[in-house]
Amino acid sequence: MIVVHHLENSRSQRILWMLEELGVDYEVRQYQRDPKTNLAPASLENVHPLGKSPVITDGDDVIAESGNIIEYLAVKYGKDGWIPAADSPEYWDCKYWLHYGEGSLMPLLVMKLIFDKVKESPMPFFVKPVAKGISKKVMEAYIGPNLKKNMNFIEAHLANRDYFVGDGLTVADIQMCFPLESAQARYLRGKHYPNITAYVKRIQALPGYQRAREKGCV
């Protein structure tokens, strides 16, 4: 039996979604974030030394990291289509998005979250202008321009597409949905990205996604 060690409001939500789409039996073991630090509880270190989520156990095997888990489930439990055939033109495109989601896009979104918190965090009044100035400079010089470049790239890719690769769900969609949802919450508000917006709405309307959401929000 697969056990998903599920941390609330985390990347592990997409693992639940993939398992729902695969129709594989699994158990959800819930973990709550520390209300003060918002970090994962120390009990997750009993599953994997880094104490991070997502992580799954499948029998005696412990599988960590989003992309690794997604590929593991696709190879072990998925049917044809989750990863395009290795000799097809879509294969490397699919692999690209599987790595891009966490390798390129999420670091920018995490940095934005951190620097936004720097501006909002309580601090001595004489330090606040300096902290806000540094945060603003980093956003204007690095994070903002790179986020815009990446969002424009994704928006163009999703033009006239229902999915990231091919005509159906692949591991690329499972990986990319979470960062795009995060982008909508932290970056896209008030900005015009109709293809990304339509894609996220389309994914969130899928029955498998909705079932996973119910199980993950208990």
Side-chain angles (χ1 to χ4, degrees):
M1 169 73 76
I2 294 173
V3 178
V4 181
H5 299 270
H6 176 61
L7 179 65
E8 61 176 335
N9 301 321
S10 75
R11 292 164 169 87
S12 61
Q13 184 61 45
R14 58 185 164 199
I15 306 304
L16 302 182
W17 173 34
M18 184 169 187
L19 286 164
E20 287 294 327
E21 296 291 349
L22 290 172
V24 176
D25 290 335
Y26 66 97
E27 173 190 339
V28 181
R29 197 158 297 168
Q30 299 278 355
Y31 298 79
Q32 304 301 315
R33 293 181 181 275
D34 185 289
K36 292 183 178 179
T37 66
N38 204 39
L39 297 176
S43 55
L44 261 175
E45 294 179 14
N46 296 328
V47 184
H48 188 279
L50 295 182
K52 300 292 185 181
S53 182
V55 59
I56 68 170
T57 49
D58 188 4
D60 294 330
D61 296 325
V62 178
I63 315 296
E65 288 293 339
S66 294
N68 189 41
I69 296 170
I70 291 168
E71 190 162 6
Y72 170 86
L73 292 175
V75 171
K76 188 167 182 179
Y77 297 102
K79 297 178 181 178
D80 292 343
W82 278 101
I83 299 175
D87 59 353
S88 71
E90 291 86 11
Y91 178 79
W92 289 111
D93 194 25
C94 186
K95 287 279 192 171
Y96 171 79
W97 293 110
L98 181 62
H99 292 285
Y100 167 87
E102 291 294 327
S104 293
L105 185 54
M106 275 307 296
L108 292 170
L109 293 167
V110 171
M111 281 190 283
K112 183 181 188 308
L113 176 65
I114 291 171
F115 279 96
D116 284 347
K117 285 191 173 184
V118 167
K119 292 189 295 183
E120 299 164 1
S121 297
M123 62 187 74
F125 73 91
F126 54 88
V127 175
K128 202 161 192 174
V130 177
K132 282 189 170 182
I134 293 172
S135 179
K136 182 180 179 182
K137 189 69 175 178
V138 173
M139 283 298 301
E140 290 178 347
Y142 179 74
I143 299 174
N146 277 286
L147 270 175
K148 182 177 181 180
K149 182 182 290 186
N150 278 266
M151 290 303 154
N152 289 342
F153 169 57
I154 296 167
E155 177 73 8
H157 178 77
L158 289 174
N160 303 313
R161 290 175 181 266
D162 287 339
Y163 303 96
F164 266 88
V165 180
D167 299 323
L169 284 174
T170 65
V171 294
D173 298 289
I174 302 295
Q175 183 76 312
M176 285 299 300
C177 188
F178 181 86
L180 291 184
E181 289 176 317
S182 298
Q184 282 195 325
R186 300 170 188 168
Y187 176 74
L188 296 183
R189 285 175 293 185
K191 296 179 173 65
H192 189 60
Y193 288 93
N195 296 332
I196 294 174
T197 300
Y199 172 81
V200 172
K201 285 183 178 179
R202 191 161 52 246
I203 291 300
Q204 291 177 338
L206 294 172
Y209 180 97
Q210 294 181 10
R211 291 194 303 272
R213 195 70 185 165
E214 291 176 4
K215 292 182 180 179
C217 292
V218 174

